[in-house]
């Protein structure tokens, strides 16, 4: 069943999770009781190393515009209680320096793991801009006086009616090189008996995805890990979580068939993509598991 159209999404009551349409990148705005927070901030248009493969379409200005339109007060000012960067890839951290630096946006706290270049796979160090986007976010936060929180074990945050819990919080192991996706946080948003898991780019390496599934248990909504690409959303994870709704932050044609097959067969999830729907808002009702989806939010 397709999500309903949103005639005027700003007037829709209830607590919301906004999944912006930012290509194959994550930009997710949390809203509850008039308070706002951000999980990841989309791909940016910067290419600090001048590498041809990093000459990507950026969404930072689109994200800032949406946040101001949605979360701005009568004076056009925005307060974000916190922002969370799941991991140091540009399609997740890229827009944060622009968002944090905007004079009309105040961010109180920023949560992200420390990034260690000597613990990351050589191909990423040589060919990607992990260090640059991480450093840009840290620098912007420091300039604006944002409290930066990097010791994440046991962190639970409150946002209106939401309880927000971080998973996979341990730092990368010294002396071992891994892909940065292995370090991705997963973010659980709970309201009463309703659970939405924002899986970042969590994957199966080291049993991380399976472990998170067992810890979290049954959920109602899954932001599918790694945009629906391979190495994520395996059967063991779905057996534990069994989401009713699965949302891909991607274009539908780029989601891999095995992931869609497992979601259909293992958990019988209803599947939607931000690219096909032009962004999605999940409205979390007062009853356990009550979620309404709205599309065409931009």
């Amino acid at each position: 069943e397709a999500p309903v159209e949103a005639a005027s999404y700003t007037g829709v009551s209830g607590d919301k999770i906004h999944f912006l349409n930012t290509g194959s990148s994550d930009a997710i705005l949390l809203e509850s009781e008039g308070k706002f927070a951000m999980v990841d901030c989309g791909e940016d248009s910067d290419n600090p190393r001048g590498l041809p493969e990093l000459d990507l379409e950026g969404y930072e200005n689109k994200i800032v515009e949406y946040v101001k339109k949605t979360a701005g007060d009568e004076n056009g000012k925005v307060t974000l209680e916190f922002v969370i960067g799941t991991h140091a890839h540009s399609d997740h951290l890229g827009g944060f320096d622009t968002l944090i630096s905007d004079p009309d946006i105040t961010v109180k706290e920023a949560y992200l793991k420390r990034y260690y270049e000597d613990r990351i796979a050589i191909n990423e160090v040589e060919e990607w801009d992990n260090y640059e986007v991480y450093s840009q976010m840290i620098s912007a936060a420091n300039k604006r006086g944002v409290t930066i929180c990097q010791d994440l074990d046991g962190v639970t945050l409150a946002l209106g009616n939401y309880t927000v819990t971080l998973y996979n919080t341990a730092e990368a192991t010294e002396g071992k090189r891994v892909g940065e996706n292995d370090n991705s946080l997963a973010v659980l948003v709970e309201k009463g008996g309703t659970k939405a898991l924002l899986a970042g780019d969590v994957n199966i390496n080291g049993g991380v995805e399976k472990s998170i599934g067992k810890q979290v248990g049954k959920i109602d909504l899954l932001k599918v890990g790694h945009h629906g690409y391979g190495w994520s959303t395996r059967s063991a994870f779905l057996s534990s979580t069994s989401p009713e709704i699965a949302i891909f932050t991607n274009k539908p044609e780029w989601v891999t068939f095995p992931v869609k097959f497992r979601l259909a067969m293992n958990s019988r999830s209803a599947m939607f993509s931000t690219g096909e729907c032009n962004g999605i808002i999940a409205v979390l009702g007062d009853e356990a598991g009550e979620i309404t989806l709205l599309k065409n939010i931009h």
Side-chain angles (χ1 to χ4, degrees), residues 51-210:
L51 298 173
E53 59 269 26
L54 298 182
D55 188 18
L56 304 169
E57 179 180 2
Y59 295 90
E60 60 267 56
N61 294 326
K62 180 179 182 179
I63 293 167
V64 167
E65 178 185 1
Y66 184 90
V67 168
K68 288 183 176 182
K69 178 177 65 175
T70 305
D73 63 15
E74 63 274 10
N75 299 312
K77 304 294 184 180
V78 174
T79 297
L80 296 177
E81 302 299 319
F82 56 84
V83 299
I84 298 171
T86 57
H87 62 296
H89 280 164
S90 63
D91 59 334
H92 292 260
L93 296 193
F96 268 132
D97 61 327
T98 301
L99 181 87
I100 293 169
S101 299
D102 192 287
D104 292 326
I105 299 175
T106 298
V107 176
K108 293 183 178 180
E109 298 179 322
Y111 292 83
L112 73 163
K113 288 185 187 180
R114 295 177 184 86
Y115 178 75
Y116 298 95
E117 191 96 299
D118 61 349
R119 304 179 191 182
I120 297 303
I122 292 294
N123 70 299
E124 291 193 26
V125 173
E126 295 178 347
E127 301 172 13
W128 299 4
D129 57 356
N130 300 359
Y131 177 76
E132 285 80 6
V133 295
Y134 172 83
S135 299
Q136 287 170 342
M137 180 180 178
I138 293 287
S139 177
N142 284 331
K143 287 179 181 178
R144 291 297 307 276
V146 178
T147 300
I148 302 173
C149 307
Q150 298 195 277
D151 296 316
L152 304 183
D153 284 349
V155 168
T156 300
L157 305 168
L159 184 76
N161 293 321
Y162 293 155
T163 299
V164 180
T165 306
L166 307 183
Y167 291 87
N168 196 33
T169 56
E171 293 185 352
T173 303
E174 188 174 2
K176 180 181 179 182
R177 288 187 178 270
V178 299
E180 179 61 6
N181 285 342
D182 294 11
N183 297 318
S184 178
L185 297 171
V187 180
L188 180 66
V189 180
E190 296 178 87
K191 177 190 175 183
T194 302
K195 292 182 178 181
L197 181 64
L198 314 178
D201 278 0
V202 166
N203 61 34
I204 63 171
N205 292 344
V208 171
E209 183 183 73
K210 185 176 180 180

Side-chain angles (χ1 to χ4, degrees), residues 1-3 5 19-23 246-255 260 271-280 294-298:
E1 182 179 351
E5 296 282 353
F19 299 90
L20 278 64
N21 179 17
T22 55
I247 293 178
F248 303 108
T249 49
N250 207 342
K251 297 180 179 180
E253 61 269 24
W254 291 353
V255 177
K260 290 188 286 188
M271 290 174 268
F272 308 96
S273 74
T274 52
E276 185 175 31
C277 295
N278 192 28
I280 299 169
L294 311 175
K295 67 178 181 179
N296 291 325
I297 71 176
H298 290 281

Side-chain angles (χ1 to χ4, degrees), residues 220-290:
D220 301 286
L221 183 149
L222 173 67
K223 195 294 296 185
V224 178
H226 203 199
H227 319 285
Y229 301 140
W231 300 103
S232 296
T233 324
R234 295 299 177 93
S235 298
F237 171 76
L238 292 175
S239 294
S240 298
T241 56
S242 191
E244 303 290 332
I245 297 168
I247 293 178
F248 303 108
T249 49
N250 207 342
K251 297 180 179 180
E253 61 269 24
W254 291 353
V255 177
T256 60
F257 174 78
V259 170
K260 290 188 286 188
F261 181 82
R262 288 192 292 269
L263 283 162
M265 299 304 293
N266 288 67
S267 56
R268 301 185 185 277
S269 306
M271 290 174 268
F272 308 96
S273 74
T274 52
E276 185 175 31
C277 295
N278 192 28
I280 299 169
I281 295 174
V283 182
L284 278 58
D286 294 328
E287 301 296 325
E290 181 187 358

